[in-house]
Amino acid sequence: MADEGISAADEASGVVPRLKRRMIDEALPLWSTAGWDDGAGGFIDRLHRDGTADVTAPRRVFVQARQIWCYAKAAQMGWYPEGRAIALKGLEHLLAKAKTPDGRPGYVHRLTPEGAVLDGRRDAYDHAFILFALAAVYALDQDAQIRAEIDALLAFLDGHLRSPHGGVHEGLPVSLPRRQNPHMHLFEAMIACFDATHDLSFQNRAGEFFALFLANLYDKRTRALGEYFEEDWSKIAPVSVEPGHQAEWVWLLKGFERITGCPTGQRRAELLETALRYRDETGCLIDEGDDAGNIRRTTRRLWPQTEIAKAWIAQAESGEAGAAEEARMALARLERHYLSHPVRGGWYDQFERDGKSLIDTIPASSFYHVLCAVTEAEQVLEG
């Protein structure tokens, strides 16, 4: 956290090594100890504000997958050698408890703390993160059993979740509205699967989501990415715009360009410009606006701040002048406002406009966002 003796420029210039040390020394140890259930197994969904486990909180399956990804990624980066064993332990629990426990294909939505099924829905967003986690684990060892799990999940997506209108259903049972969010994370997962396997079929699968983005999710006139849609992809008015997702797509489009060679620079520039319309006086992104540029919610969560940092990192990787400094300043805002928590390795999840913290717990779901931003920053900004 900055003090009066450190200028904003100094705070930004040293932020990447500081955040790396915070991940290695604080966050990774915290979420594998207090954040792991030694009794029932599995990752804890959230910690109390004093850093102790909330053992009564239901276990969201996408959070289990995100934590697996975090430890596999930390191992892959050479940051946390124990990460591989922790990721494998988490994956073993996920496969044992969440995969077809009721005899039907796919993964359930939520578990009790004891590991029983709490919500048996098949949710597309969950499956995106399970695929993302499997890709990260596969990247470590190229284990044939992990590849078989990837292929089984793809078969479930193809056989049960595909929509005749393009993309995937929200889940089973099918529900409305349709959201861009599961499609964004499936796009992310396909890019990760290609990176892990070098199987060209994942380029094609990622290409389907890129085509959906251009045709239905992104409005070239307003230069805004919508959130909610009818079954046939018609917009639901008023159009909800989440600045964090505008920024997240900037980074993902750069990843797609990297694996396919397909140029995405114009859309990245437009999305970033749109995202930056929705900032408050702290420089942080707010949670929601509309496609006319109006702010609908003045609250600001942690994750949009990691995504605007990643957007600037993507632009820096493309050689855009000033983008690296913008990325460091975004990471410094993340550190100053959200990561300076009394629990070492913890964070604040959401603030009101006046700076009041709105969430009393420390949610595990944020770890993926933070770790991803820091690993990207080290590879691009410090490389």
Side-chain angles (χ1 to χ4, degrees):
M1 188 169 180
D3 61 34
E4 291 171 6
I6 301 176
S7 69
D10 289 339
E11 184 187 22
S13 68
V15 71
V16 178
R18 282 202 310 277
L19 291 181
K20 177 182 174 181
R21 288 260 54 95
R22 193 186 283 265
M23 294 299 97
I24 294 170
D25 296 343
E26 300 177 7
L28 287 158
L30 175 70
W31 292 98
S32 59
T33 53
W36 176 264
D37 188 332
D38 279 324
F43 292 102
I44 299 287
D45 206 86
R46 64 190 183 210
L47 305 179
H48 296 297
R49 63 180 174 182
D50 65 357
T52 58
D54 183 348
V55 295
T56 65
R59 308 285 166 83
R60 293 173 292 175
V61 165
F62 85 86
V63 173
Q64 300 295 313
R66 284 186 178 187
Q67 298 298 76
I68 293 164
W69 179 87
C70 285
Y71 285 97
K73 183 68 174 180
Q76 185 185 14
M77 294 287 291
W79 289 11
Y80 205 64
E82 311 96 302
R84 178 183 174 278
I86 295 163
L88 289 172
K89 183 171 67 167
L91 182 59
E92 183 180 15
H93 177 80
L94 180 72
L95 293 171
K97 300 297 183 182
K99 184 189 175 190
T100 66
D102 50 10
R104 292 181 290 124
Y107 292 76
V108 298
H109 184 47
R110 285 196 303 167
L111 301 168
T112 68
E114 296 74 34
V117 177
L118 184 62
D119 185 336
R121 280 179 297 168
R122 269 50 172 178
D123 182 83
Y125 183 89
D126 296 345
H127 284 76
F129 277 105
I130 296 162
L131 185 57
F132 190 54
L134 288 168
V137 174
Y138 183 77
L140 293 175
D141 301 316
Q142 283 74 48
D143 185 286
Q145 284 183 282
I146 304 299
R147 181 58 201 258
E149 294 294 350
I150 289 173
D151 291 338
L153 198 157
L154 294 171
F156 172 73
L157 291 175
D158 292 343
H160 299 270
L161 281 186
R162 273 190 184 270
S163 165
H165 296 282
V168 295
H169 295 300
E170 279 294 303
L172 299 175
V174 175
S175 63
L176 291 173
R178 302 186 77 180
R179 296 178 301 154
Q180 75 78 25
N181 203 6
H183 297 85
M184 177 181 73
H185 287 296
L186 282 165
F187 186 46
E188 178 180 33
M190 297 308 169
I191 294 169
C193 283
F194 176 78
D195 284 335
T197 66
H198 305 294
D199 182 332
L200 296 179
S201 69
F202 291 110
Q203 284 184 341
N204 297 330
R205 286 179 178 274
E208 291 178 20
F209 291 106
F210 179 60
L212 184 74
F213 165 82
L214 291 176
N216 299 112
L217 306 180
Y218 182 67
D219 187 322
K220 298 176 187 67
R221 183 183 61 81
T222 61
R223 298 184 171 185
L225 174 80
E227 291 292 331
Y228 303 106
F229 301 86
E230 302 289 2
E231 178 60 36
D232 64 358
W233 289 114
S234 55
K235 292 180 192 174
I236 295 176
V239 173
S240 171
V241 173
E242 294 194 19
H245 286 153
Q246 313 288 310
E248 202 161 355
W249 272 96
V250 175
W251 176 69
L252 288 169
L253 290 176
K254 182 68 178 78
F256 182 69
E257 182 177 302
R258 174 175 53 76
I259 70 165
T260 63
C262 175
T264 61
Q266 180 186 345
R267 298 303 174 215
R268 282 188 280 119
E270 292 170 0
L271 283 161
L272 181 54
E273 185 180 353
T274 297
L276 294 172
R277 293 157 75 180
Y278 305 96
R279 290 177 289 179
D280 67 12
E281 52 275 11
T282 66
C284 293
L285 295 189
I286 54 85
D287 287 338
E288 186 185 12
D290 64 22
D291 61 352
N294 301 303
I295 289 176
R296 290 174 67 175
R297 281 190 289 154
T298 59
T299 54
R300 48 182 173 87
R301 290 195 63 194
L302 180 157
W303 70 263
Q305 320 319 322
T306 65
E307 301 316 305
I308 194 65
K310 283 162 57 184
W312 281 119
I313 290 166
Q315 298 301 80
E317 194 173 5
S318 294
E320 183 175 319
E325 184 56 31
E326 290 286 356
R328 289 189 178 94
M329 288 192 293
L331 290 167
R333 285 190 292 272
L334 172 72
E335 181 184 40
R336 186 186 324 130
H337 295 289
Y338 294 87
L339 302 185
S340 298
H341 193 282
V343 172
R344 287 164 61 87
W347 35 73
Y348 296 102
D349 185 66
Q350 188 178 41
F351 291 106
E352 186 50 271
R353 186 167 191 166
D354 62 7
K356 176 175 175 272
S357 175
L358 289 174
I359 309 292
D360 207 28
T361 58
I362 308 171
S365 55
S366 299
F367 194 13
Y368 141 79
H369 288 286
V370 178
L371 188 77
C372 188
V374 181
T375 55
E376 287 295 301
E378 190 192 50
Q379 291 173 97
V380 175
L381 305 180
E382 303 290 305

